[in-house]
Amino acid sequence: MELTRRAMPGMGITPPMDTSIPSQNMDSILNRNTPATSIYQTSVNLLDKLACIEGFEIYLSSLLENNTASDTQGGTPYLNPIQLLWDTFRQGTSLCVIYNALQPAEPLSTTLDESSNLLRQRKDRVYRFLK
């Protein structure tokens, strides 16, 4: 498309034209290609990598053995890797194990005190991981 200047009728003055074309943001989420792998496959790959972290396998195996990762409607064991990851990370202590694998100067505690509020302790572990 070519832009040309037109004279304003009766004045003999040509108005300045903005010839710049608005550039499209190529990083827009609408312009991105779809990922080659699905979220299901990405979750399976992440579970494989997490199983290689020393001390992390107990969090995965305890969920599978105790059937705590279950379908909320049927109560049957949930074999969905996305739900398994969610339940594993929701524990909080599993996130601390991942953080401690980086060998920080101050490792996070991975134990829970059974005599106190477990939910509050789990939330605290998630908070400390995020912090």
Side-chain angles (χ1 to χ4, degrees), residues 24-40:
Q24 291 181 345
N25 184 0
M26 296 310 289
D27 293 331
S28 170
I29 195 164
L30 299 174
N31 292 333
R32 291 186 186 156
N33 292 336
T34 8
T37 59
S38 66
I39 190 168
Y40 181 90

Side-chain angles (χ1 to χ4, degrees), residues 75-94:
T76 58
Y78 213 7
L79 302 178
N80 182 349
I82 301 166
Q83 184 67 42
L84 181 59
L85 282 172
W86 175 259
D87 290 342
T88 303
F89 293 146
R90 199 174 71 180
Q91 293 178 17
T93 52
S94 59

Side-chain angles (χ1 to χ4, degrees), residues 110-123:
T110 58
T111 58
L112 296 175
D113 182 16
E114 297 294 328
S115 64
S116 151
N117 187 344
L118 289 177
L119 180 61
R120 179 172 289 163
Q121 290 180 59
R122 289 178 177 160
K123 288 180 181 180

